[in-house]
Amino acid sequence: MHIILKENNERHVVLVSPIEDVDFKKLTVKRYFFNWKKLKDESSIFKLTLANSKDILGLIALVAHPEERIEIKLLAVSAENVGKNKQFDRIAGCLIAFAGREAIRKFQNYPALSLIPKTELKQSYIRKYGMIDAGWQLYLEDAPLLRLVKEYLS
């Protein structure tokens, strides 16, 4: 799994791992757009870091709905990696693909992934990640889910 440094298109290996209690001290609203402690008890939170660094570049909170799907409760990319002047590309895609892989592990025969997007991001999720519009939420399943996982995690 890799992200791309925008200034020179260089690939950098990244890891997604469970968040640790000590990480919450670093997760400011200014950099990650949300108080992540609020989700600590109701979801599984994962962080994306460069393989050789402890700096958190992205976060994802997942909720498993038994016999159904994995829901992305919240997804955030660090402030310096948002917009036209971002340092790294592919952070959100890697996190979504990670969630997709978790859905495949948990629901092998019928894996599904969903999220409720911010209105301004809905079309971006559809265009960039192939998500399917289901009204108030977006989802991925079957071949589109497998394609996303293969694209971002291989």
Side-chain angles (χ1 to χ4, degrees):
M1 175 175 6
H2 70 275
I3 57 176
I4 296 174
L5 183 61
K6 297 271 294 185
E7 70 182 39
N8 60 10
N9 286 330
E10 186 176 275
R11 289 181 176 208
H12 290 264
V13 176
V14 291
L15 304 172
V16 177
S17 57
I19 197 145
E20 300 171 36
D21 284 338
V22 296
D23 292 324
F24 285 102
K25 294 175 185 172
K26 304 176 207 171
L27 303 181
T28 63
V29 173
K30 183 177 180 180
R31 187 167 185 217
Y32 301 101
F33 309 101
F34 186 77
N35 179 355
W36 285 82
K37 286 181 188 175
K38 289 182 179 182
L39 292 176
K40 186 177 178 181
D41 295 329
E42 64 185 62
S43 60
S44 299
I45 303 173
F46 297 89
K47 61 186 175 182
L48 182 140
T49 60
L50 291 170
N52 57 356
S53 172
K54 292 186 178 192
D55 187 31
I56 298 169
L57 302 177
L59 296 155
I60 192 166
L62 304 177
V63 175
H65 295 278
E67 307 299 322
E68 198 177 322
R69 63 190 156 80
I70 297 283
E71 177 187 1
I72 298 173
K73 195 76 172 167
L74 190 61
L75 171 70
V77 174
S78 59
E80 70 277 7
N81 289 298
V82 175
K84 291 180 182 180
N85 296 322
K86 62 184 165 187
Q87 293 174 347
F88 288 100
D89 199 13
R90 293 178 45 101
I91 295 171
C94 286
L95 287 167
I96 295 168
F98 170 81
R101 184 174 66 197
E102 292 299 301
I104 292 166
R105 284 184 185 160
K106 190 159 186 70
F107 308 110
Q108 296 168 1
N109 295 329
Y110 303 103
L113 178 66
S114 71
L115 64 82
I116 300 172
K118 292 180 179 176
T119 304
E120 64 272 12
L121 295 176
K122 187 173 185 175
Q123 291 307 314
S124 179
Y125 281 120
I126 292 169
R127 184 184 72 256
K128 194 166 187 177
Y129 307 114
M131 297 193 103
I132 300 161
D133 192 342
W136 58 280
Q137 67 179 337
L138 299 175
Y139 73 96
L140 277 172
E141 62 184 3
D142 302 325
L145 177 61
L146 296 173
R147 268 193 304 275
L148 181 79
V149 169
K150 185 176 181 180
E151 178 182 343
Y152 282 90
L153 298 187
S154 56

Short mmCIF file of all heavy atoms in Angstrom, two decimals, residues 60-63 65 68-74 96 99-100 103 111-117 131-132 134 136-141 145:
data_model
loop_
_atom_site.label_atom_id
_atom_site.label_comp_id
_atom_site.label_asym_id
_atom_site.label_seq_id
_atom_site.Cartn_x
_atom_site.Cartn_y
_atom_site.Cartn_z
N ILE A 60 -9.54 6.65 10.13
CA ILE A 60 -10.83 6.12 9.72
C ILE A 60 -11.46 5.42 10.92
O ILE A 60 -10.77 4.71 11.67
CB ILE A 60 -10.69 5.17 8.51
CG1 ILE A 60 -12.04 4.85 7.90
CG2 ILE A 60 -9.90 3.92 8.86
CD1 ILE A 60 -11.95 4.21 6.52
N ALA A 61 -12.74 5.65 11.13
CA ALA A 61 -13.50 4.99 12.19
C ALA A 61 -14.50 4.05 11.52
O ALA A 61 -15.26 4.46 10.65
CB ALA A 61 -14.24 6.01 13.05
N LEU A 62 -14.45 2.78 11.92
CA LEU A 62 -15.29 1.75 11.30
C LEU A 62 -16.25 1.14 12.32
O LEU A 62 -15.87 0.92 13.47
CB LEU A 62 -14.43 0.64 10.71
CG LEU A 62 -13.37 1.05 9.70
CD1 LEU A 62 -12.54 -0.16 9.27
CD2 LEU A 62 -14.00 1.72 8.51
N VAL A 63 -17.45 0.84 11.84
CA VAL A 63 -18.45 0.14 12.64
C VAL A 63 -18.90 -1.07 11.84
O VAL A 63 -19.31 -0.92 10.67
CB VAL A 63 -19.66 1.05 12.97
CG1 VAL A 63 -20.74 0.27 13.70
CG2 VAL A 63 -19.22 2.26 13.78
N HIS A 65 -21.59 -3.79 11.14
CA HIS A 65 -23.00 -4.11 11.34
C HIS A 65 -23.14 -5.61 11.07
O HIS A 65 -22.99 -6.05 9.92
CB HIS A 65 -23.89 -3.30 10.39
CG HIS A 65 -23.83 -1.84 10.66
ND1 HIS A 65 -24.58 -1.24 11.66
CD2 HIS A 65 -23.10 -0.85 10.10
CE1 HIS A 65 -24.32 0.06 11.67
NE2 HIS A 65 -23.42 0.32 10.74
N GLU A 68 -24.16 -7.75 7.81
CA GLU A 68 -24.58 -6.73 6.86
C GLU A 68 -23.43 -6.07 6.11
O GLU A 68 -23.24 -6.27 4.92
CB GLU A 68 -25.39 -5.68 7.62
CG GLU A 68 -26.24 -4.82 6.76
CD GLU A 68 -27.07 -3.85 7.59
OE1 GLU A 68 -27.56 -4.24 8.66
OE2 GLU A 68 -27.20 -2.71 7.16
N ARG A 69 -22.63 -5.24 6.83
CA ARG A 69 -21.64 -4.43 6.15
C ARG A 69 -20.72 -3.77 7.16
O ARG A 69 -20.97 -3.78 8.37
CB ARG A 69 -22.31 -3.33 5.33
CG ARG A 69 -23.09 -2.35 6.20
CD ARG A 69 -23.96 -1.41 5.39
NE ARG A 69 -25.06 -0.90 6.17
CZ ARG A 69 -24.99 0.09 7.04
NH1 ARG A 69 -23.86 0.69 7.26
NH2 ARG A 69 -26.05 0.49 7.70
N ILE A 70 -19.65 -3.16 6.63
CA ILE A 70 -18.79 -2.28 7.42
C ILE A 70 -19.19 -0.86 7.06
O ILE A 70 -19.30 -0.51 5.88
CB ILE A 70 -17.29 -2.50 7.08
CG1 ILE A 70 -16.83 -3.91 7.43
CG2 ILE A 70 -16.42 -1.43 7.74
CD1 ILE A 70 -16.59 -4.16 8.90
N GLU A 71 -19.41 -0.04 8.06
CA GLU A 71 -19.74 1.37 7.84
C GLU A 71 -18.53 2.23 8.18
O GLU A 71 -17.92 2.06 9.23
CB GLU A 71 -20.91 1.79 8.70
CG GLU A 71 -21.24 3.26 8.58
CD GLU A 71 -22.31 3.73 9.56
OE1 GLU A 71 -22.79 2.92 10.38
OE2 GLU A 71 -22.64 4.93 9.53
N ILE A 72 -18.20 3.14 7.28
CA ILE A 72 -17.19 4.15 7.58
C ILE A 72 -17.92 5.25 8.32
O ILE A 72 -18.70 6.00 7.74
CB ILE A 72 -16.53 4.68 6.30
CG1 ILE A 72 -15.79 3.55 5.57
CG2 ILE A 72 -15.56 5.83 6.65
CD1 ILE A 72 -15.24 3.95 4.21
N LYS A 73 -17.70 5.30 9.61
CA LYS A 73 -18.37 6.30 10.45
C LYS A 73 -17.75 7.68 10.25
O LYS A 73 -18.46 8.68 10.23
CB LYS A 73 -18.26 5.87 11.92
CG LYS A 73 -19.15 6.57 12.84
CD LYS A 73 -20.55 6.04 12.69
CE LYS A 73 -21.45 6.60 13.76
NZ LYS A 73 -22.84 6.36 13.46
N LEU A 74 -16.43 7.70 10.09
CA LEU A 74 -15.74 8.96 9.88
C LEU A 74 -14.41 8.68 9.20
O LEU A 74 -13.76 7.68 9.48
CB LEU A 74 -15.50 9.66 11.23
CG LEU A 74 -15.00 11.09 11.20
CD1 LEU A 74 -15.99 12.03 10.50
CD2 LEU A 74 -14.73 11.60 12.61
N ILE A 96 -10.09 3.90 2.59
CA ILE A 96 -11.34 3.28 2.13
C ILE A 96 -11.09 1.85 1.69
O ILE A 96 -11.87 0.94 2.00
CB ILE A 96 -11.98 4.12 1.01
CG1 ILE A 96 -12.42 5.49 1.54
CG2 ILE A 96 -13.18 3.39 0.39
CD1 ILE A 96 -12.79 6.49 0.47
N ALA A 99 -10.80 -0.37 4.65
CA ALA A 99 -12.13 -0.70 5.16
C ALA A 99 -12.79 -1.76 4.29
O ALA A 99 -13.47 -2.66 4.80
CB ALA A 99 -13.00 0.56 5.22
N GLY A 100 -12.59 -1.66 2.99
CA GLY A 100 -13.12 -2.67 2.07
C GLY A 100 -12.53 -4.04 2.34
O GLY A 100 -13.24 -5.05 2.32
N ALA A 103 -14.18 -5.50 5.25
CA ALA A 103 -15.51 -6.01 4.89
C ALA A 103 -15.39 -7.38 4.23
O ALA A 103 -16.19 -8.28 4.51
CB ALA A 103 -16.22 -5.03 3.97
N PRO A 111 -19.46 -9.14 0.86
CA PRO A 111 -18.86 -7.96 1.51
C PRO A 111 -19.49 -6.67 1.01
O PRO A 111 -19.79 -6.52 -0.18
CB PRO A 111 -17.39 -8.05 1.09
CG PRO A 111 -17.41 -8.79 -0.20
CD PRO A 111 -18.55 -9.76 -0.09
N ALA A 112 -19.69 -5.75 1.94
CA ALA A 112 -20.25 -4.45 1.59
C ALA A 112 -19.66 -3.40 2.52
O ALA A 112 -19.32 -3.67 3.67
CB ALA A 112 -21.77 -4.45 1.69
N LEU A 113 -19.55 -2.20 1.99
CA LEU A 113 -18.96 -1.06 2.69
C LEU A 113 -19.87 0.14 2.43
O LEU A 113 -20.35 0.33 1.32
CB LEU A 113 -17.58 -0.81 2.10
CG LEU A 113 -16.75 0.35 2.60
CD1 LEU A 113 -16.37 0.13 4.05
CD2 LEU A 113 -15.50 0.48 1.74
N SER A 114 -20.12 0.94 3.46
CA SER A 114 -20.98 2.11 3.27
C SER A 114 -20.44 3.31 4.04
O SER A 114 -19.62 3.17 4.94
CB SER A 114 -22.41 1.82 3.73
OG SER A 114 -22.47 1.73 5.14
N LEU A 115 -20.92 4.48 3.66
CA LEU A 115 -20.64 5.71 4.39
C LEU A 115 -21.70 6.74 4.08
O LEU A 115 -22.38 6.67 3.05
CB LEU A 115 -19.24 6.26 4.08
CG LEU A 115 -18.90 6.73 2.68
CD1 LEU A 115 -19.36 8.15 2.43
CD2 LEU A 115 -17.40 6.68 2.48
N ILE A 116 -21.87 7.67 5.00
CA ILE A 116 -22.75 8.81 4.79
C ILE A 116 -21.83 9.99 4.54
O ILE A 116 -21.18 10.48 5.47
CB ILE A 116 -23.67 9.05 6.00
CG1 ILE A 116 -24.54 7.81 6.25
CG2 ILE A 116 -24.53 10.30 5.77
CD1 ILE A 116 -25.34 7.86 7.54
N PRO A 117 -21.76 10.46 3.29
CA PRO A 117 -20.79 11.52 2.96
C PRO A 117 -21.30 12.91 3.30
O PRO A 117 -22.51 13.15 3.38
CB PRO A 117 -20.64 11.38 1.45
CG PRO A 117 -22.01 10.94 1.02
CD PRO A 117 -22.50 10.02 2.12
N MET A 131 -18.04 4.62 -5.81
CA MET A 131 -19.11 4.34 -4.86
C MET A 131 -20.47 4.53 -5.54
O MET A 131 -20.62 5.29 -6.49
CB MET A 131 -18.98 5.21 -3.62
CG MET A 131 -17.68 4.92 -2.87
SD MET A 131 -17.64 5.62 -1.24
CE MET A 131 -17.96 4.16 -0.29
N ILE A 132 -21.45 3.80 -5.03
CA ILE A 132 -22.78 3.78 -5.61
C ILE A 132 -23.70 4.61 -4.73
O ILE A 132 -23.72 4.46 -3.50
CB ILE A 132 -23.27 2.33 -5.73
CG1 ILE A 132 -22.30 1.55 -6.64
CG2 ILE A 132 -24.69 2.28 -6.28
CD1 ILE A 132 -22.37 0.06 -6.50
N ALA A 134 -26.90 5.59 -2.93
CA ALA A 134 -28.10 4.95 -2.38
C ALA A 134 -28.93 5.98 -1.62
O ALA A 134 -29.52 5.69 -0.59
CB ALA A 134 -27.71 3.80 -1.47
N TRP A 136 -29.16 8.77 0.83
CA TRP A 136 -28.44 9.47 1.89
C TRP A 136 -27.09 8.84 2.19
O TRP A 136 -26.27 9.41 2.91
CB TRP A 136 -29.28 9.57 3.16
CG TRP A 136 -29.73 8.25 3.70
CD1 TRP A 136 -30.77 7.49 3.26
CD2 TRP A 136 -29.12 7.51 4.75
NE1 TRP A 136 -30.86 6.33 3.98
CE2 TRP A 136 -29.86 6.31 4.91
CE3 TRP A 136 -28.04 7.73 5.59
CZ2 TRP A 136 -29.55 5.36 5.86
CZ3 TRP A 136 -27.73 6.76 6.53
CH2 TRP A 136 -28.48 5.61 6.66
N GLN A 137 -26.84 7.66 1.65
CA GLN A 137 -25.53 7.04 1.86
C GLN A 137 -24.97 6.50 0.54
O GLN A 137 -25.68 6.38 -0.44
CB GLN A 137 -25.58 5.94 2.91
CG GLN A 137 -26.37 4.72 2.54
CD GLN A 137 -26.34 3.67 3.64
OE1 GLN A 137 -25.44 3.64 4.46
NE2 GLN A 137 -27.32 2.79 3.65
N LEU A 138 -23.67 6.22 0.56
CA LEU A 138 -22.98 5.61 -0.57
C LEU A 138 -22.50 4.24 -0.13
O LEU A 138 -22.28 4.00 1.06
CB LEU A 138 -21.77 6.45 -0.98
CG LEU A 138 -22.05 7.88 -1.43
CD1 LEU A 138 -20.74 8.62 -1.69
CD2 LEU A 138 -22.92 7.89 -2.68
N TYR A 139 -22.32 3.34 -1.10
CA TYR A 139 -21.84 2.02 -0.74
C TYR A 139 -21.01 1.42 -1.87
O TYR A 139 -21.03 1.88 -3.01
CB TYR A 139 -23.01 1.10 -0.38
CG TYR A 139 -23.83 0.65 -1.57
CD1 TYR A 139 -23.60 -0.58 -2.18
CD2 TYR A 139 -24.86 1.45 -2.07
CE1 TYR A 139 -24.35 -0.99 -3.27
CE2 TYR A 139 -25.61 1.05 -3.16
CZ TYR A 139 -25.36 -0.17 -3.75
OH TYR A 139 -26.10 -0.57 -4.83
N LEU A 140 -20.29 0.37 -1.51
CA LEU A 140 -19.53 -0.46 -2.44
C LEU A 140 -19.77 -1.90 -2.07
O LEU A 140 -19.83 -2.25 -0.89
CB LEU A 140 -18.03 -0.18 -2.33
CG LEU A 140 -17.46 1.00 -3.08
CD1 LEU A 140 -16.01 1.21 -2.69
CD2 LEU A 140 -17.60 0.83 -4.57
N GLU A 141 -19.90 -2.75 -3.10
CA GLU A 141 -20.01 -4.18 -2.89
C GLU A 141 -19.54 -4.89 -4.15
O GLU A 141 -19.29 -4.26 -5.17
CB GLU A 141 -21.44 -4.60 -2.53
CG GLU A 141 -22.45 -4.31 -3.62
CD GLU A 141 -23.88 -4.64 -3.24
OE1 GLU A 141 -24.13 -5.05 -2.08
OE2 GLU A 141 -24.76 -4.50 -4.10
N LEU A 145 -16.08 -3.09 -5.21
CA LEU A 145 -15.35 -3.13 -3.94
C LEU A 145 -14.01 -3.85 -4.13
O LEU A 145 -12.97 -3.36 -3.69
CB LEU A 145 -16.18 -3.83 -2.87
CG LEU A 145 -15.51 -4.03 -1.50
CD1 LEU A 145 -15.14 -2.70 -0.87
CD2 LEU A 145 -16.42 -4.82 -0.58
#
